[in-house]
Amino acid sequence: MSYTLRGGFESRFASALAPLLVAAVLSATLAAWPPIQLAGLMLAVGAALDLALYHRLLPYQPGWIALPIAVLELGAIMALARAVRIGAPVGAAIGFFVGSWLVAQALAHAVFPLVRVSYAEDGGELGRIGATAVAACVAVAAFAGGVAWGTRPPTVHLAAACTAAPL
């Protein structure tokens, strides 16, 4: 398929909405933030690669190239997750990526063409659905970030002196 830049972004964000929601719910219920951090990193890496690499080098993306692209994205995500010290277990992180990738493939090959008949001719653009998906992803990420910020343990800053009170 020949994705336009907008179509690639809209398809990516619409495909990422379900995994992002799952990660937000997991993070909120476990009070551990690696799932939402990992989902955000996956979305950021994919969007950056869409902008910098795929749009320029792959004007046409045949179906078979999805697997090499997934391996490239997984490698970049895992390297960045280690670099920024996201504390997700490696097996769970890879499982989350594979599940998210399978959802994205099912949506791109089966659901989006049914929802928008001109999906392939429009270069993956989803119209209002795409704009809504981008806004929903931003809203879910902002809400999860707000919950993470609100549930942080309190921090006590002490002056560089002896304190006589109990902590």
Coordinates of all heavy atoms in Angstrom, one line a residue, residues 1 3 11 15 60-67 101-116 119-120 126:
M1 N 0.8 -1.2 0.0 CA 0.0 0.0 0.0 C 0.9 1.2 0.0 O 2.0 1.2 0.6 CB -0.9 0.0 1.2 CG -1.8 1.1 1.3 SD -3.1 0.8 2.5 CE -3.5 2.4 2.9
Y3 N 1.2 4.6 1.5 CA 0.7 5.5 2.6 C 1.2 6.9 2.3 O 2.3 7.1 2.0 CB 1.3 5.1 3.9 CG 0.6 3.9 4.5 CD1 1.2 2.6 4.5 CD2 -0.6 3.9 5.1 CE1 0.7 1.5 5.0 CE2 -1.2 2.8 5.7 CZ -0.6 1.6 5.7 OH -1.2 0.5 6.2
S11 N -3.3 6.0 10.5 CA -3.4 4.5 10.7 C -2.6 4.1 11.9 O -3.1 3.2 12.7 CB -2.8 3.8 9.4 OG -3.6 4.1 8.3
S15 N -4.5 2.5 15.2 CA -4.1 1.2 15.6 C -3.6 1.2 17.0 O -3.6 0.2 17.7 CB -3.1 0.6 14.6 OG -3.6 0.5 13.3
Y60 N 6.0 2.8 -1.5 CA 5.0 1.7 -1.6 C 5.5 0.6 -0.6 O 6.6 0.2 -0.5 CB 5.0 1.0 -3.0 CG 4.1 -0.2 -3.1 CD1 2.7 -0.1 -3.0 CD2 4.7 -1.5 -3.1 CE1 1.9 -1.2 -3.0 CE2 3.9 -2.6 -3.2 CZ 2.5 -2.4 -3.1 OH 1.7 -3.5 -3.2
Q61 N 4.5 0.2 0.3 CA 4.8 -0.8 1.3 C 4.1 -2.1 1.0 O 2.9 -2.2 1.3 CB 4.5 -0.3 2.7 CG 5.3 0.9 3.1 CD 4.9 1.4 4.5 OE1 4.2 0.7 5.2 NE2 5.4 2.5 4.9
P62 N 4.7 -3.1 0.4 CA 4.0 -4.3 0.2 C 3.8 -5.0 1.5 O 4.4 -4.7 2.5 CB 5.0 -5.1 -0.7 CG 6.4 -4.5 -0.4 CD 6.1 -3.1 -0.1
G63 N 2.8 -6.0 1.5 CA 2.5 -6.6 2.8 C 3.6 -7.3 3.5 O 3.7 -7.4 4.7
W64 N 4.5 -7.9 2.7 CA 5.6 -8.7 3.3 C 6.6 -7.9 4.1 O 7.3 -8.4 5.0 CB 6.3 -9.5 2.2 CG 7.0 -8.7 1.2 CD1 6.5 -8.3 0.0 CD2 8.3 -8.1 1.3 NE1 7.4 -7.5 -0.6 CE2 8.6 -7.3 0.1 CE3 9.3 -8.1 2.3 CZ2 9.7 -6.6 -0.1 CZ3 10.5 -7.4 2.1 CH2 10.7 -6.7 0.9
I65 N 6.6 -6.6 3.8 CA 7.6 -5.7 4.5 C 7.2 -5.4 5.9 O 8.0 -4.8 6.7 CB 7.9 -4.5 3.7 CG1 9.3 -3.9 4.0 CG2 6.9 -3.4 3.9 CD1 9.8 -3.0 3.0
A66 N 6.0 -5.7 6.3 CA 5.5 -5.4 7.7 C 6.4 -6.1 8.7 O 6.7 -5.5 9.8 CB 4.1 -5.8 7.8
L67 N 6.8 -7.3 8.5 CA 7.6 -8.0 9.5 C 9.0 -7.4 9.6 O 9.4 -7.2 10.8 CB 7.7 -9.5 9.1 CG 8.2 -10.4 10.2 CD1 7.4 -10.3 11.5 CD2 8.2 -11.9 9.7
W101 N 1.2 -5.1 17.6 CA 1.5 -5.2 16.2 C 0.5 -6.1 15.5 O 0.0 -5.7 14.4 CB 2.9 -5.9 16.0 CG 3.3 -6.0 14.5 CD1 3.8 -5.0 13.7 CD2 3.3 -7.1 13.7 NE1 4.0 -5.5 12.5 CE2 3.7 -6.8 12.4 CE3 2.9 -8.5 14.0 CZ2 3.8 -7.7 11.4 CZ3 3.0 -9.4 12.9 CH2 3.5 -9.0 11.7
L102 N 0.0 -7.2 16.1 CA -1.0 -8.0 15.5 C -2.3 -7.3 15.4 O -3.0 -7.4 14.4 CB -1.2 -9.3 16.3 CG 0.0 -10.3 16.2 CD1 -0.2 -11.5 17.2 CD2 0.1 -10.8 14.8
V103 N -2.7 -6.5 16.4 CA -3.9 -5.7 16.4 C -3.8 -4.7 15.2 O -4.7 -4.5 14.4 CB -4.1 -4.9 17.7 CG1 -5.1 -3.8 17.6 CG2 -4.5 -5.9 18.8
A104 N -2.6 -4.0 15.1 CA -2.4 -3.1 14.0 C -2.6 -3.7 12.6 O -3.2 -3.1 11.7 CB -1.1 -2.4 14.1
Q105 N -2.0 -4.9 12.5 CA -2.1 -5.6 11.2 C -3.6 -6.0 10.9 O -4.0 -5.8 9.7 CB -1.2 -6.9 11.2 CG 0.3 -6.6 11.2 CD 0.7 -5.7 10.1 OE1 0.5 -6.1 8.9 NE2 1.3 -4.6 10.3
A106 N -4.3 -6.5 11.9 CA -5.7 -6.8 11.7 C -6.5 -5.6 11.3 O -7.3 -5.7 10.4 CB -6.2 -7.5 12.9
L107 N -6.2 -4.5 12.0 CA -7.0 -3.3 11.6 C -6.6 -2.8 10.2 O -7.5 -2.4 9.5 CB -6.7 -2.2 12.7 CG -7.3 -2.4 14.0 CD1 -6.7 -1.4 15.0 CD2 -8.8 -2.3 14.0
A108 N -5.4 -2.7 9.9 CA -5.0 -2.2 8.6 C -5.4 -3.1 7.4 O -5.7 -2.6 6.3 CB -3.4 -2.0 8.5
H109 N -5.5 -4.4 7.6 CA -5.8 -5.3 6.5 C -7.3 -5.6 6.4 O -7.8 -6.0 5.4 CB -5.0 -6.6 6.6 CG -3.5 -6.3 6.3 ND1 -3.0 -6.0 5.1 CD2 -2.4 -6.3 7.2 CE1 -1.7 -5.8 5.2 NE2 -1.3 -6.0 6.4
A110 N -8.0 -5.6 7.6 CA -9.4 -6.0 7.6 C -10.4 -5.0 8.0 O -11.4 -4.9 7.4 CB -9.5 -7.3 8.5
V111 N -10.1 -4.2 9.0 CA -11.1 -3.3 9.6 C -11.1 -2.0 8.9 O -12.2 -1.5 8.4 CB -10.9 -3.1 11.1 CG1 -11.9 -2.2 11.7 CG2 -11.0 -4.5 11.8
F112 N -10.0 -1.3 8.7 CA -10.0 0.0 8.1 C -10.5 0.0 6.7 O -11.3 0.9 6.4 CB -8.6 0.6 8.1 CG -8.0 0.9 9.5 CD1 -6.7 1.0 9.7 CD2 -8.9 1.1 10.6 CE1 -6.2 1.3 11.0 CE2 -8.4 1.4 11.9 CZ -7.0 1.5 12.1
P113 N -10.2 -1.0 5.8 CA -10.8 -1.0 4.5 C -12.3 -1.1 4.5 O -13.0 -0.7 3.6 CB -10.2 -2.1 3.8 CG -8.9 -2.3 4.5 CD -9.1 -2.0 5.9
L114 N -12.9 -1.8 5.6 CA -14.3 -1.9 5.7 C -15.0 -0.6 6.2 O -16.1 -0.3 5.8 CB -14.7 -3.1 6.6 CG -14.4 -4.5 6.0 CD1 -14.7 -5.5 7.1 CD2 -15.2 -4.7 4.8
V115 N -14.3 0.0 7.1 CA -14.8 1.2 7.7 C -14.8 2.4 6.8 O -15.7 3.2 6.7 CB -14.0 1.6 9.0 CG1 -14.4 3.0 9.6 CG2 -14.3 0.5 10.1
R116 N -13.7 2.5 6.0 CA -13.6 3.5 5.0 C -13.2 2.9 3.7 O -12.1 2.4 3.5 CB -12.5 4.5 5.4 CG -12.3 5.7 4.5 CD -11.5 6.8 5.2 NE -11.1 7.8 4.3 CZ -11.7 9.0 4.2 NH1 -12.8 9.2 4.9 NH2 -11.3 9.9 3.4
Y119 N -10.0 3.6 1.8 CA -8.8 3.6 2.6 C -7.5 3.4 1.8 O -6.6 4.1 1.9 CB -8.9 2.5 3.7 CG -7.7 2.3 4.5 CD1 -7.4 3.2 5.5 CD2 -6.9 1.2 4.4 CE1 -6.3 3.0 6.4 CE2 -5.8 1.0 5.2 CZ -5.5 1.9 6.2 OH -4.5 1.7 7.0
A120 N -7.5 2.4 0.9 CA -6.3 2.2 0.1 C -6.1 3.3 -0.9 O -4.9 3.7 -1.1 CB -6.5 0.8 -0.6
L126 N -7.8 8.2 7.2 CA -9.0 7.8 7.7 C -10.0 8.9 7.9 O -11.1 8.7 8.4 CB -8.8 7.1 9.1 CG -8.0 5.8 9.1 CD1 -7.5 5.4 10.5 CD2 -8.8 4.7 8.4

